[in-house]
Amino acid sequence: MQSNAALEYDYTVAKLFTFTTILFGILGMIIGTLIAAQLAFPDLNYLLGEYGTFSRLRPLHTNIVIFGFTLSGVFATFYYVAQRVLKVSMAESKFIMFIAKFHFWLYFVGALIAVVTLLLGYSQAKEYAQFEWPIDIVIVIVWVLWGVAMFGLIGIRREKALYISMWYYIACFLGIAMLYLFNNMSVPTYFASGGLGNIMHSVSMYSGTNDALVQWWYGHNAVAFGFTVPIVAMIYYFLPKESGQAIYSYKLSLLSFWGLMFVYLWAGSHHLLWSTVPDWMQTMGSVFSIVLILPSWGSAINMLLTMKGEWNQLTENPLIKFMVLASTFYMLSTLEGPIQAIKSVNAIAHFTDWIPGHVHDGVLGWVVFMIMAALFHMAPRMFKREIYSKKMLEAQFWLQTVAVVLYFTSMWIAGITQGMMWRAVDEYGNLMYSFIDTVTVLHPYYAIRALSGVLYLIGFLMFAYNMYKTMTSSRELSEEPQFRSPMA
């Protein structure tokens, strides 16, 4: 094994996942912008026959953003961060390097096949779990490969203590493994019926209310362990490294970790308020959702207080801007979610556009901002070149910030308007508005959402171009930057 002083980290796999993060980000956001426009301008549904309708493209958008862009970002940052905090190079183990490369290629090929099957209409019709059973098997193998690489690196580490970021990556691995296996237990009908029907088709092993409960235990916690836990892992590493500041409180990071692990798993039933799910279970979901504010804000406040006394870096370093605003959007989103889980509020919010408004201020403001900042921090160290354009980075930040604010404010107003109109009755108890009345009233807000999608997409294309130029043609660095990332 190499000596610690001469340790050269191997970024081969981190680079590969960086490329797929950018690729799937562009693809997912183009589709997202198109389907937002389709809601405002329905004629756009007929551009590509059945393959261009909202119902066919919407699962494609959510799955590409979740399992394409976000997971690629998680894997890219993991293969970068793990080597550094464990003080071990991937190159030191041929076995781990083989597993990691196999992990990437199976993931990439599997993801492309998954995209095609969704486009062709193969779906289990379960939110965030649309993939049919053959794709599920590939996903499980991909996940096991990541686990082998993860615990392999931990097994040969030189650094005895596991830094908090590794705790969160491990939680991401274990949490999604458990959730995905249980929710996707299904029976392929072709084999169960003696060769009748389509070989791709399957039915869930659960039925009725039980199916709904397992689905939203999975759905809510897929957000927990996919959109929250690994992103917290990133910011606990990249914010201190970029700013040169130590984490404000390591004890608070551990307290928030265990709080998040325990509380999040019980909150999923808040998706099923006012349904056939037992009342005590609905109440439990609401209560745990409220309690969830504590560990969530514990992490976010810890991140913000890390910048205590160094707020001037906000004006000087766009990457700090991205990370601090990401933490702020995390606080906003993790306050908004519990508010929507209060039964009386949920009676108005359920099924309205306030729900995607909540999801997207979390995803666009917290998840995407943090992944982009992480990749920008990694780029000079992986490619040994400075970031191509600071001006473009600043412009991208403001463009995407405006886009996120436009998105969630338009959806807040649209959602609350919807909820109130659906509940409005006259003195005889008759509904005052038809469904089409609400659609007509909400048209301007749908148009604003489509515009915000266009702005955000432009910002992401600026990010992709800046990364491409950073990798290929910006000024070469003679030595690795210690803290602040150099940029032209």
Side-chain angles (χ1 to χ4, degrees):
M1 294 193 47
Q2 296 162 277
S3 68
N4 203 8
L7 198 58
E8 281 286 329
Y9 301 116
D10 190 312
Y11 299 122
T12 307
V13 181
K15 287 177 183 177
L16 290 171
F17 278 114
T18 297
F19 302 147
T20 56
T21 307
I22 297 167
L23 171 68
F24 285 126
I26 293 170
L27 189 58
M29 288 176 206
I30 286 173
I31 297 172
T33 304
L34 173 58
I35 61 176
Q38 286 177 338
L39 289 172
F41 309 104
D43 285 349
L44 293 173
N45 274 272
Y46 308 111
L47 292 175
L48 300 165
E50 67 178 286
Y51 304 105
T53 59
F54 180 92
S55 57
R56 188 63 63 90
L57 292 178
R58 195 265 178 183
L60 209 56
H61 164 64
T62 54
N63 282 282
I64 290 173
V65 170
I66 296 168
F67 297 111
F69 168 76
T70 305
L71 268 191
S72 284
V74 171
F75 295 147
T77 57
F78 168 79
Y79 282 114
Y80 175 92
V81 171
Q83 294 183 81
R84 288 172 166 260
V85 299
L86 299 173
K87 294 290 184 286
V88 63
S89 173
M90 296 274 292
E92 293 179 54
S93 170
K94 288 182 180 178
F95 172 74
I96 292 174
M97 182 61 87
F98 169 77
I99 291 293
K101 286 181 177 177
F102 186 28
H103 170 211
F104 170 78
W105 286 109
L106 186 63
Y107 163 80
F108 185 53
V109 173
L112 292 178
I113 294 170
V115 166
V116 172
T117 59
L118 284 178
L119 197 56
L120 292 175
Y122 293 106
S123 173
Q124 290 188 121
K126 298 175 82 171
E127 183 76 337
Y128 313 137
Q130 283 93 348
F131 301 131
E132 277 289 4
W133 66 272
I135 306 293
D136 287 337
I137 291 171
V138 175
I139 291 170
V140 169
I141 296 169
V142 166
W143 210 252
V144 169
L145 289 170
W146 184 39
V148 171
M150 178 185 293
F151 291 106
L153 283 172
I154 290 170
I156 63 169
R157 72 189 189 275
R158 290 188 181 82
E159 178 60 58
K160 187 179 178 183
L162 286 182
Y163 182 62
I164 187 65
S165 292
M166 288 304 297
W167 290 41
Y168 278 98
Y169 281 121
I170 293 169
C172 170
F173 168 74
L174 294 175
I176 291 182
M178 170 183 67
L179 294 159
Y180 203 88
L181 283 172
F182 277 98
N183 189 51
N184 286 281
M185 286 184 178
S186 57
V187 180
T189 51
Y190 181 84
F191 299 107
S193 61
L196 297 175
N198 194 312
I199 197 166
M200 287 289 285
H201 183 263
S202 64
V203 292
S204 174
M205 285 182 68
Y206 315 105
S207 60
T209 302
N210 286 340
D211 189 34
L213 265 174
V214 175
Q215 161 59 27
W216 282 111
W217 170 73
Y218 161 83
H220 186 72
N221 289 294
V223 173
F225 290 93
F227 279 166
T228 304
V229 167
I231 313 301
V232 174
M234 291 178 204
I235 201 160
Y236 271 134
Y237 176 83
F238 290 106
L239 184 61
K241 286 300 287 185
E242 184 66 29
S243 66
Q245 293 281 98
I247 285 180
Y248 175 72
S249 170
Y250 203 74
K251 284 183 181 176
L252 181 56
S253 73
L254 299 179
L255 187 66
S256 298
F257 174 85
W258 288 113
L260 210 62
M261 292 307 103
F262 178 73
V263 177
Y264 231 130
L265 286 164
W266 299 95
S269 58
H270 73 212
H271 287 263
L272 299 165
L273 298 179
W274 309 105
S275 72
T276 54
V277 168
D279 194 59
W280 69 267
M281 203 168 281
Q282 296 182 38
T283 303
M284 182 181 72
S286 293
V287 170
F288 274 94
S289 299
I290 300 297
V291 176
L292 195 53
I293 295 172
L294 295 174
S296 301
W297 276 47
S299 295
I301 289 169
N302 206 7
M303 297 162 196
L304 294 176
L305 287 177
T306 295
M307 296 307 297
K308 187 179 177 184
E310 286 289 328
W311 290 107
N312 59 300
Q313 290 197 37
L314 268 176
T315 59
E316 300 161 3
N317 188 344
L319 298 191
I320 299 292
K321 275 196 186 80
F322 272 107
M323 289 190 246
V324 167
L325 195 62
S327 303
T328 308
F329 278 123
Y330 178 48
M331 291 181 78
L332 174 66
S333 188
T334 52
L335 177 64
E336 187 184 8
I339 288 171
Q340 290 179 339
I342 298 169
K343 278 191 168 182
S344 54
V345 178
N346 193 266
I348 294 174
H350 206 68
F351 296 129
T352 72
D353 287 301
W354 189 8
I355 306 302
H358 159 61
V359 171
H360 283 76
D361 70 49
V363 175
L364 299 177
W366 159 238
V367 176
V368 185
F369 268 30
M370 190 55 231
I371 289 175
M372 292 188 301
L375 296 188
F376 268 131
H377 174 92
M378 289 157 55
R381 292 151 180 88
M382 290 197 302
F383 299 99
K384 297 182 170 48
R385 293 176 182 271
E386 70 179 9
I387 294 171
Y388 175 70
S389 173
K390 181 181 178 180
K391 284 183 179 177
M392 192 183 297
L393 201 50
E394 290 276 6
Q396 176 205 335
F397 171 81
W398 289 111
L399 186 66
Q400 290 189 306
T401 299
V402 169
V404 177
V405 173
L406 273 178
Y407 192 111
F408 71 70
T409 51
S410 64
M411 290 299 96
W412 282 355
I413 298 166
I416 294 169
T417 302
Q418 260 176 323
M420 299 300 280
M421 289 180 75
W422 289 346
R423 288 161 59 94
V425 292
D426 60 21
E427 65 268 32
Y428 304 109
N430 300 316
L431 290 173
M432 291 177 65
Y433 303 102
S434 68
F435 182 78
I436 199 65
D437 290 333
T438 66
V439 175
T440 306
V441 167
L442 299 182
H443 183 265
Y445 304 110
Y446 284 1
I448 291 170
R449 171 166 61 178
L451 172 64
S452 71
V454 171
L455 295 177
Y456 200 91
L457 175 61
I458 292 169
F460 195 83
L461 291 173
M462 291 166 69
F463 156 73
Y465 179 75
N466 211 352
M467 282 290 290
Y468 169 73
K469 296 295 280 185
T470 299
M471 296 172 195
T472 57
S473 60
S474 62
R475 187 174 65 86
E476 291 190 17
L477 299 173
S478 55
E479 58 182 39
E480 181 178 291
Q482 282 300 300
F483 294 109
R484 181 174 174 173
S485 300
M487 52 190 79

